[in-house]
Amino acid sequence: MATLCGERVHREVQDYYGKELQKSEDLKTNACVTLARPLPKAVRDALERVHEEVVARYYGCGLVIPECLASCRILDLGSGSGRDCYLLSQLVGEQGHVTGIDMTEGQVKVAKKHIAYHMDKFGYRKPNVEFLQGYMEKLGDAGLADESYDIVISNCVINLVPNKKAVLQEAYRVLKPGGEMYFSDVYASQRLSETVRKHRVLWGECLAGALYWRDLYSIAEEVGFTPPCLVSASPITIGDKELESFIGDCHFVSATFRLFKVSGSSQTGPSQVIYNGGIVGHEQELVFDANFTFKQGEVVDVDSEMAAILRSSRFAEEFLIRPGGAYAGAGAPQGSCCKGVKEKICDPFQLLELLAAPGPACHPGGTCGPLGCC
């Protein structure tokens, strides 16, 4: 399917975010400002310490602040004005490090301008953040080495890159074994038409480059990541009637996913896990994704994929993991509930429907999955 060539997309997106947009209010849709769920108190407090110019020039979607961050090395793809980087700078602590990379010179300039301000505000003796100008699908050109980061995040920017697979390949390369890619982006309910993909404003508004959500799963598998874990979803509205009519019957959603770099040898089968409650801000309950919520001291049956993730990642010390459980039963599909067979939810549009539907208080993220109550 013909699309705008990569160089032209880069140039026009740079102009859109560097020249035409001066503040978030200039956007024509809510695709790049949607929050998927309320911010935790620690994140709200950290945000209050971020410089107002950095916040004003922020165009992200969803929440890209994962848990268990102390002393981590984090890479932010498409870091823009640096809002998320300065948030994470506080959460990883002075012993951690955050790198932001963005292709737009004006955005990188804003981010760099306020490094000294934030380090003084946070009480750090030396900077734990850096900002680079470059392309997220060519991280090697920016000097980023193999297996050098614990976490890669991105916030509503992968849709702005024509070659999504190249972005995931580079993220996989720079992640350490057991590392995570935690990212929010815009997804389409179908593959987009050529006319939509050539629309300049729709590229800048994060819609023309949106990936059909099913394609994320196939790309992640090709690159080597674990199957995507759907964390949250929120609807996207278009405030411009002309753009709305141009798009037609296609729908868009802002969704957060997490992918892990887990070796095949880590997959040892279904398990039972017990969360010890040691993650700051999530002591009583850790909502890992739309299918698994872990409450302190509670035994939870997980499939082999989730067991491998917990065993291999930075979460390993936060869980007691033992083999067996309901998933070990013959014929039980991955994602089944401990009391009855329930499939995992993978479709962000289906998750939106579940969140909007009236019913009992069993919600996505429960220990038995989103489609029923134990």
Side-chain angles (χ1 to χ4, degrees):
M1 181 178 291
T3 62
L4 293 175
C5 71
E7 290 186 4
R8 183 180 171 191
V9 169
H10 285 151
R11 185 173 62 252
E12 295 199 348
V13 170
Q14 284 173 325
D15 287 344
Y16 199 74
Y17 283 86
K19 298 177 182 179
E20 294 189 28
L21 295 182
Q22 297 302 313
K23 54 187 183 302
S24 58
E25 287 79 3
D26 295 334
L27 292 163
K28 295 178 174 60
T29 76
N30 74 337
C32 294
V33 294
T34 301
L35 281 177
R37 53 179 174 171
L39 297 172
K41 185 180 186 304
V43 176
R44 294 199 307 270
D45 292 344
L47 180 59
E48 291 180 359
R49 292 186 284 267
V50 177
H51 194 281
E52 60 183 10
E53 182 181 12
V54 171
V55 175
R57 293 292 296 271
Y58 159 79
Y59 309 116
C61 68
L63 175 66
V64 290
I65 311 297
E67 318 83 6
C68 202
L69 300 179
S71 300
C72 284
R73 287 182 54 83
I74 301 179
L75 172 63
D76 183 359
L77 303 178
S79 52
S81 64
R83 192 206 80 158
D84 289 347
C85 289
Y86 287 123
L87 277 176
L88 292 163
S89 168
Q90 300 170 72
L91 300 178
V92 300
E94 196 168 4
Q95 301 307 311
H97 187 272
V98 183
T99 300
I101 186 168
D102 199 277
M103 68 178 180
T104 306
E105 182 180 3
Q107 290 285 75
V108 174
K109 185 177 180 180
V110 171
K112 287 183 174 181
K113 173 182 171 183
H114 298 293
I115 291 178
Y117 167 88
H118 288 100
M119 297 306 103
D120 180 67
K121 190 84 169 176
F122 305 159
Y124 293 170
R125 290 167 295 177
K126 61 179 182 179
N128 72 340
V129 297
E130 64 176 336
F131 296 98
L132 308 173
Q133 185 175 357
Y135 299 100
M136 68 185 77
E137 65 270 51
K138 298 178 181 179
L139 299 178
D141 291 352
L144 302 186
D146 295 357
E147 300 184 357
S148 52
Y149 290 94
D150 300 292
I151 304 168
V152 172
I153 70 164
S154 77
N155 200 337
C156 198
V157 290
I158 295 178
N159 64 82
L160 298 174
V161 178
N163 191 344
K164 274 68 169 175
K165 184 177 179 180
V167 176
L168 266 64
Q169 286 175 324
E170 279 293 86
Y172 189 89
R173 179 183 67 81
V174 302
L175 279 171
K176 299 175 184 178
E180 175 182 15
M181 183 175 183
Y182 187 96
F183 63 109
S184 182
D185 220 309
V186 177
Y187 297 91
S189 59
Q190 61 193 46
R191 293 189 179 93
L192 301 177
S193 68
E194 180 180 347
T195 54
V196 170
R197 288 189 173 278
K198 287 185 174 181
H199 197 286
R200 176 180 174 275
V201 173
L202 288 176
W203 265 104
E205 292 286 330
C206 306
L207 300 182
L211 193 66
Y212 174 42
W213 71 269
R214 290 184 183 274
D215 289 340
L216 173 65
Y217 285 81
S218 58
I219 293 173
E221 181 181 5
E222 291 172 13
V223 169
F225 280 113
T226 57
C229 300
L230 174 61
V231 177
S232 59
S234 56
I236 286 176
T237 57
I238 301 172
D240 186 292
K241 293 295 184 183
E242 183 179 348
L243 292 180
E244 190 173 22
S245 61
F246 187 83
I247 289 170
D249 61 354
C250 183
H251 299 285
F252 297 89
V253 63
S254 167
T256 299
F257 286 93
R258 55 198 325 165
L259 312 176
F260 287 85
K261 183 176 181 176
V262 175
S263 67
S265 61
S266 298
Q267 301 244 359
T268 57
S271 302
Q272 290 186 326
V273 303
I274 302 174
Y275 174 48
N276 67 24
I279 300 176
V280 176
H282 305 270
E283 292 84 356
Q284 302 300 315
E285 181 179 85
L286 173 63
V287 181
F288 195 84
D289 62 15
N291 294 285
F292 290 104
T293 290
F294 303 106
K295 297 181 180 180
Q296 182 186 26
E298 181 177 272
V299 178
V300 179
D301 293 302
V302 299
D303 58 27
S304 57
E305 290 172 357
M306 181 57 66
I309 287 171
L310 296 179
R311 184 178 293 110
S312 304
S313 67
R314 67 188 187 280
F315 295 98
E317 295 184 359
E318 309 300 337
F319 286 84
L320 171 64
I321 305 174
R322 60 195 185 200
Y327 286 96
Q334 290 184 344
S336 64
C337 179
C338 53
K339 295 182 181 176
V341 175
K342 302 292 181 181
E343 293 183 358
K344 276 185 177 178
I345 184 167
C346 301
D347 179 351
F349 293 94
Q350 182 186 7
L351 178 56
L352 281 184
E353 292 178 3
L354 289 168
L355 293 172
C362 184
H363 56 82
T367 55
C368 59
L371 302 182
C373 295
C374 290

